[in-house]
Amino acid sequence: MSHEHRLRFKTLVMVLLMVVCANTGDLMLARGMKQIGNVEISVPGLRHALLSTIQSGSIWIGILFLIGFTLCYMTAVSWADYSFVMPAGAFGYAVQTMLAIVVLHEVVSPKRWIGVAMICVGVLLVGQTKPNTTNPGPGVTGL
Amino acid sequence: MTRVILMLIFFVLCNTGGELAMSYGVKQVGEPESFRPMALLRFIWAAARNSWLWVALPLLAASFYSLLILFSWAPVSVVIPASASNYIVGTFGAKYLLKEDVSFKRWLGVILVCVGVTVVLLTGRS
Protein backbone atom coordinates (compact mmCIF):
# COMPACT_ATOMS: atom_id res chain seq x y z
CA MET A 1 0.00 0.00 0.00
CA SER A 2 1.49 3.39 -0.98
CA HIS A 3 2.04 6.16 1.58
CA GLU A 4 -0.92 8.17 0.24
CA HIS A 5 -3.27 5.16 0.26
CA ARG A 6 -2.25 4.34 3.83
CA LEU A 7 -2.77 7.96 4.84
CA ARG A 8 -6.19 8.04 3.17
CA PHE A 9 -7.20 4.76 4.83
CA LYS A 10 -6.17 5.73 8.36
CA THR A 11 -7.79 9.18 7.96
CA LEU A 12 -11.02 7.50 6.84
CA VAL A 13 -10.92 5.20 9.90
CA MET A 14 -10.33 8.21 12.21
CA VAL A 15 -13.16 10.22 10.60
CA LEU A 16 -15.53 7.26 11.04
CA LEU A 17 -14.47 6.96 14.70
CA MET A 18 -14.99 10.73 15.10
CA VAL A 19 -18.53 10.43 13.70
CA VAL A 20 -19.38 7.44 15.92
CA CYS A 21 -17.95 9.12 19.06
CA ALA A 22 -19.63 12.50 18.38
CA ASN A 23 -23.04 10.99 17.62
CA THR A 24 -22.95 8.58 20.58
CA GLY A 25 -21.68 11.33 22.88
CA ASP A 26 -24.46 13.73 21.82
CA LEU A 27 -27.05 10.97 22.19
CA MET A 28 -25.88 10.07 25.71
CA LEU A 29 -25.76 13.75 26.80
CA ALA A 30 -29.28 14.29 25.44
CA ARG A 31 -30.48 11.14 27.24
CA GLY A 32 -28.83 12.23 30.48
CA MET A 33 -30.28 15.74 30.32
CA LYS A 34 -33.77 14.32 29.55
CA GLN A 35 -33.51 12.12 32.66
CA ILE A 36 -32.57 15.21 34.73
CA GLY A 37 -35.48 17.24 33.33
CA ASN A 38 -35.87 20.97 32.73
CA VAL A 39 -33.10 23.08 34.23
CA GLU A 40 -34.42 26.01 36.27
CA ILE A 41 -32.42 29.22 35.77
CA SER A 42 -31.89 30.12 39.42
CA VAL A 43 -29.08 29.47 41.93
CA PRO A 44 -30.79 26.42 43.56
CA GLY A 45 -31.97 25.21 40.14
CA LEU A 46 -28.47 25.39 38.63
CA ARG A 47 -26.95 23.76 41.75
CA HIS A 48 -29.46 20.92 41.48
CA ALA A 49 -28.70 20.54 37.74
CA LEU A 50 -24.94 20.48 38.38
CA LEU A 51 -25.25 17.80 41.09
CA SER A 52 -27.62 15.76 38.91
CA THR A 53 -25.25 15.86 35.93
CA ILE A 54 -22.30 14.78 38.09
CA GLN A 55 -24.34 11.80 39.35
CA SER A 56 -25.67 10.83 35.91
CA GLY A 57 -24.05 7.77 34.30
CA SER A 58 -25.33 8.76 30.85
CA ILE A 59 -23.67 12.18 31.10
CA TRP A 60 -20.31 10.60 32.05
CA ILE A 61 -20.54 8.11 29.18
CA GLY A 62 -21.40 11.03 26.87
CA ILE A 63 -18.38 13.01 28.13
CA LEU A 64 -16.10 9.98 27.59
CA PHE A 65 -17.32 9.63 23.99
CA LEU A 66 -16.80 13.36 23.37
CA ILE A 67 -13.24 13.08 24.78
CA GLY A 68 -12.81 10.16 22.35
CA PHE A 69 -14.04 12.41 19.53
CA THR A 70 -11.49 15.11 20.45
CA LEU A 71 -8.66 12.55 20.56
CA CYS A 72 -9.65 11.10 17.17
CA TYR A 73 -9.87 14.62 15.74
CA MET A 74 -6.44 15.56 17.13
CA THR A 75 -4.92 12.34 15.81
CA ALA A 76 -6.45 12.84 12.35
CA VAL A 77 -5.20 16.44 12.00
CA SER A 78 -1.73 15.36 13.18
CA TRP A 79 -1.19 13.71 9.78
CA ALA A 80 -3.97 15.04 7.51
CA ASP A 81 -4.92 18.56 6.40
CA TYR A 82 -7.39 20.47 8.58
CA SER A 83 -9.27 21.39 5.38
CA PHE A 84 -9.55 17.64 4.66
CA VAL A 85 -10.68 16.41 8.11
CA MET A 86 -13.08 19.26 8.97
CA PRO A 87 -15.57 18.83 6.05
CA ALA A 88 -15.26 15.02 6.19
CA GLY A 89 -16.58 15.16 9.77
CA ALA A 90 -19.87 16.57 8.40
CA PHE A 91 -20.63 13.01 7.26
CA GLY A 92 -22.03 12.64 10.78
CA TYR A 93 -25.18 14.52 9.69
CA ALA A 94 -25.83 11.83 7.08
CA VAL A 95 -25.31 9.11 9.72
CA GLN A 96 -27.71 10.93 12.10
CA THR A 97 -30.39 10.95 9.38
CA MET A 98 -29.89 7.22 8.72
CA LEU A 99 -30.11 6.49 12.47
CA ALA A 100 -33.30 8.60 12.68
CA ILE A 101 -34.89 6.42 9.98
CA VAL A 102 -33.60 3.01 11.06
CA VAL A 103 -33.65 3.32 14.87
CA LEU A 104 -36.30 5.95 15.57
CA HIS A 105 -38.47 5.21 12.47
CA GLU A 106 -38.73 8.93 11.77
CA VAL A 107 -39.99 10.36 8.48
CA VAL A 108 -37.34 12.46 6.74
CA SER A 109 -38.44 15.37 4.54
CA PRO A 110 -37.26 15.54 0.88
CA LYS A 111 -35.49 18.83 1.69
CA ARG A 112 -33.41 17.08 4.35
CA TRP A 113 -32.57 14.30 1.88
CA ILE A 114 -31.28 16.97 -0.53
CA GLY A 115 -29.09 18.36 2.27
CA VAL A 116 -27.77 14.86 3.11
CA ALA A 117 -27.03 14.20 -0.57
CA MET A 118 -25.13 17.51 -0.82
CA ILE A 119 -23.06 16.61 2.26
CA CYS A 120 -22.27 13.13 0.87
CA VAL A 121 -21.22 14.51 -2.54
CA GLY A 122 -19.17 17.24 -0.81
CA VAL A 123 -17.43 14.71 1.46
CA LEU A 124 -16.75 12.44 -1.55
CA LEU A 125 -15.21 15.37 -3.46
CA VAL A 126 -13.00 16.33 -0.50
CA GLY A 127 -12.11 12.63 -0.04
CA GLN A 128 -10.74 12.48 -3.58
CA THR A 129 -8.15 15.20 -2.86
CA LYS A 130 -4.73 14.54 -1.30
CA PRO A 131 -5.19 14.09 2.50
CA ASN A 132 -1.93 15.91 3.31
CA THR A 133 -0.61 18.79 1.22
CA THR A 134 1.83 20.29 3.75
CA ASN A 135 3.96 17.23 4.56
CA PRO A 136 5.55 15.55 1.52
CA GLY A 137 6.00 12.08 2.96
CA PRO A 138 6.82 9.81 5.90
CA GLY A 139 9.51 10.86 8.33
CA VAL A 140 8.87 14.59 7.98
CA THR A 141 6.92 16.26 10.77
CA GLY A 142 5.85 19.81 11.61
CA LEU A 143 4.76 22.64 9.33
CA MET B 1 -29.08 43.47 15.10
CA THR B 2 -25.57 44.93 15.34
CA ARG B 3 -24.81 42.93 18.48
CA VAL B 4 -25.99 39.71 16.75
CA ILE B 5 -23.70 40.38 13.77
CA LEU B 6 -20.77 41.18 16.06
CA MET B 7 -21.41 38.04 18.13
CA LEU B 8 -21.68 35.94 14.93
CA ILE B 9 -18.31 37.27 13.77
CA PHE B 10 -16.86 36.60 17.25
CA PHE B 11 -18.25 33.04 17.22
CA VAL B 12 -16.91 32.19 13.74
CA LEU B 13 -13.48 33.72 14.48
CA CYS B 14 -13.17 31.91 17.85
CA ASN B 15 -14.32 28.58 16.45
CA THR B 16 -12.14 28.68 13.36
CA GLY B 17 -9.21 30.18 15.27
CA GLY B 18 -9.46 27.46 17.94
CA GLU B 19 -9.58 24.63 15.43
CA LEU B 20 -6.72 26.09 13.38
CA ALA B 21 -4.59 26.56 16.51
CA MET B 22 -5.30 22.98 17.58
CA SER B 23 -4.44 21.68 14.13
CA TYR B 24 -1.21 23.72 14.04
CA GLY B 25 -0.18 22.58 17.53
CA VAL B 26 -0.93 18.91 16.90
CA LYS B 27 1.06 19.03 13.64
CA GLN B 28 4.03 20.39 15.61
CA VAL B 29 3.70 17.44 18.00
CA GLY B 30 3.55 14.95 15.14
CA GLU B 31 1.40 11.87 14.76
CA PRO B 32 1.34 9.08 17.39
CA GLU B 33 3.98 6.37 16.85
CA SER B 34 1.29 3.68 17.07
CA PHE B 35 -2.18 3.13 18.49
CA ARG B 36 -0.94 1.30 21.58
CA PRO B 37 -2.19 2.88 24.85
CA MET B 38 1.30 4.06 25.91
CA ALA B 39 2.00 5.67 22.53
CA LEU B 40 -1.38 7.41 22.64
CA LEU B 41 -0.69 8.65 26.19
CA ARG B 42 2.69 10.00 25.05
CA PHE B 43 0.92 11.77 22.17
CA ILE B 44 -1.67 13.31 24.53
CA TRP B 45 1.08 14.38 26.96
CA ALA B 46 3.12 15.98 24.16
CA ALA B 47 -0.01 17.75 22.85
CA ALA B 48 -0.86 19.00 26.36
CA ARG B 49 2.60 20.61 26.58
CA ASN B 50 2.19 22.41 23.25
CA SER B 51 1.33 26.08 23.75
CA TRP B 52 -0.92 26.21 20.65
CA LEU B 53 -3.30 23.74 22.29
CA TRP B 54 -3.66 26.15 25.21
CA VAL B 55 -4.45 28.90 22.71
CA ALA B 56 -7.06 26.63 21.10
CA LEU B 57 -8.94 25.60 24.26
CA PRO B 58 -10.11 29.07 25.45
CA LEU B 59 -11.02 30.00 21.87
CA LEU B 60 -13.15 26.86 21.50
CA ALA B 61 -14.75 27.46 24.92
CA ALA B 62 -15.52 31.07 23.92
CA SER B 63 -17.05 29.88 20.63
CA PHE B 64 -19.23 27.36 22.50
CA TYR B 65 -20.60 29.99 24.89
CA SER B 66 -21.04 32.59 22.15
CA LEU B 67 -23.11 30.04 20.21
CA LEU B 68 -25.33 29.51 23.26
CA ILE B 69 -25.75 33.30 23.59
CA LEU B 70 -26.52 33.58 19.87
CA PHE B 71 -29.31 31.01 20.19
CA SER B 72 -30.89 33.16 22.89
CA TRP B 73 -30.53 36.38 20.82
CA ALA B 74 -31.37 35.37 17.26
CA PRO B 75 -33.58 32.88 15.38
CA VAL B 76 -32.10 29.50 14.48
CA SER B 77 -32.50 30.37 10.79
CA VAL B 78 -29.91 33.11 11.26
CA VAL B 79 -27.53 31.29 13.61
CA ILE B 80 -27.32 27.94 11.73
CA PRO B 81 -26.18 29.26 8.31
CA ALA B 82 -23.69 31.49 10.12
CA SER B 83 -22.30 28.54 12.07
CA ALA B 84 -22.06 26.47 8.86
CA SER B 85 -19.93 29.27 7.40
CA ASN B 86 -17.18 27.89 9.68
CA TYR B 87 -16.46 25.37 6.91
CA ILE B 88 -15.68 28.17 4.44
CA VAL B 89 -13.79 30.42 6.90
CA GLY B 90 -11.88 27.37 8.20
CA THR B 91 -10.81 26.44 4.67
CA PHE B 92 -9.58 30.02 4.08
CA GLY B 93 -7.63 29.76 7.35
CA ALA B 94 -6.18 26.39 6.31
CA LYS B 95 -5.10 27.85 2.98
CA TYR B 96 -3.56 31.11 4.18
CA LEU B 97 -2.44 30.32 7.76
CA LEU B 98 -1.61 26.61 7.63
CA LYS B 99 -0.46 26.89 3.98
CA GLU B 100 -2.52 23.90 2.90
CA ASP B 101 -3.01 23.40 -0.83
CA VAL B 102 -6.79 23.72 -1.27
CA SER B 103 -7.66 22.54 -4.77
CA PHE B 104 -10.78 23.51 -6.74
CA LYS B 105 -12.26 20.06 -6.01
CA ARG B 106 -11.76 20.54 -2.25
CA TRP B 107 -13.31 24.02 -2.38
CA LEU B 108 -16.32 22.62 -4.26
CA GLY B 109 -16.66 19.84 -1.66
CA VAL B 110 -16.43 22.30 1.25
CA ILE B 111 -19.09 24.60 -0.29
CA LEU B 112 -21.43 21.63 -0.87
CA VAL B 113 -20.92 20.44 2.72
CA CYS B 114 -21.58 23.97 4.03
CA VAL B 115 -24.86 24.33 2.08
CA GLY B 116 -25.85 20.72 2.86
CA VAL B 117 -25.31 21.17 6.61
CA THR B 118 -27.38 24.39 6.53
CA VAL B 119 -30.24 22.61 4.71
CA VAL B 120 -30.15 19.58 7.06
CA LEU B 121 -30.07 21.66 10.24
CA LEU B 122 -32.80 24.04 9.09
CA THR B 123 -35.23 21.37 7.91
CA GLY B 124 -35.15 19.19 11.01
CA ARG B 125 -36.42 15.62 10.68
CA SER B 126 -40.13 16.09 10.12
Side-chain angles (χ1 to χ4, degrees):
Chain A
M1 202 188 267
S2 71
H3 171 68
E4 195 182 317
H5 277 108
R6 205 168 54 240
L7 195 66
R8 202 179 287 279
F9 177 73
K10 63 183 186 179
T11 309
L12 178 76
V13 171
M14 273 303 147
V15 168
L16 287 177
L17 278 174
M18 272 165 57
V19 167
V20 169
C21 284
N23 281 343
T24 315
D26 286 347
L27 199 73
M28 294 310 288
L29 284 188
R31 192 177 144 182
M33 289 311 288
K34 278 208 169 72
Q35 285 168 346
I36 289 166
N38 283 341
V39 177
E40 208 178 295
I41 308 295
S42 64
V43 175
L46 289 173
R47 193 186 299 133
H48 172 72
L50 183 68
L51 287 173
S52 305
T53 50
I54 288 169
Q55 288 163 354
S56 164
S58 299
I59 297 278
W60 281 109
I61 294 170
I63 289 170
L64 279 179
F65 272 101
L66 292 178
I67 290 172
F69 161 78
T70 309
L71 287 179
C72 292
Y73 181 81
M74 281 168 64
T75 312
V77 291
S78 73
W79 62 62
D81 284 356
Y82 167 69
S83 61
F84 185 92
V85 177
M86 173 205 34
F91 187 64
Y93 292 108
V95 175
Q96 273 176 8
T97 305
M98 290 300 173
L99 285 176
I101 296 166
V102 176
V103 181
L104 304 173
H105 304 292
E106 287 183 7
V107 179
V108 174
S109 70
K111 225 183 226 177
R112 190 176 168 106
W113 275 121
I114 292 169
V116 168
M118 287 173 97
I119 292 171
C120 290
V121 174
V123 171
L124 277 176
L125 280 174
V126 172
Q128 284 175 358
T129 61
K130 271 179 77 176
N132 187 339
T133 59
T134 55
N135 188 347
V140 184
T141 52
L143 288 171
Chain B
M1 193 62 192
T2 313
R3 70 172 186 168
V4 173
I5 293 168
L6 286 175
M7 189 55 95
L8 276 171
I9 294 169
F10 178 76
F11 161 70
V12 172
L13 288 180
C14 283
N15 192 268
T16 310
E19 289 190 346
L20 287 171
M22 183 184 275
S23 179
Y24 187 72
V26 168
K27 278 211 170 59
Q28 282 183 336
V29 169
E31 61 184 271
E33 299 150 28
S34 69
F35 292 104
R36 291 200 177 96
M38 279 314 288
L40 286 176
L41 280 175
R42 271 197 297 274
F43 170 71
I44 293 166
W45 178 243
R49 284 185 304 160
N50 186 284
S51 52
W52 283 102
L53 208 81
W54 294 102
V55 172
L57 288 178
L59 284 172
L60 290 172
S63 81
F64 176 72
Y65 284 107
S66 55
L67 184 67
L68 292 184
I69 293 168
L70 274 168
F71 278 127
S72 70
W73 282 359
V76 177
S77 58
V78 173
V79 179
I80 292 296
S83 66
S85 72
N86 274 326
Y87 290 103
I88 308 276
V89 180
T91 307
F92 269 111
K95 185 174 172 58
Y96 293 106
L97 299 174
L98 302 179
K99 309 289 180 207
E100 291 176 6
D101 180 17
V102 184
S103 61
F104 174 74
K105 206 185 244 184
R106 194 176 284 185
W107 267 120
L108 196 62
V110 167
I111 291 166
L112 273 172
V113 165
C114 176
V115 178
V117 167
T118 308
V119 172
V120 167
L121 293 179
L122 285 181
T123 49
R125 285 175 189 156
S126 55

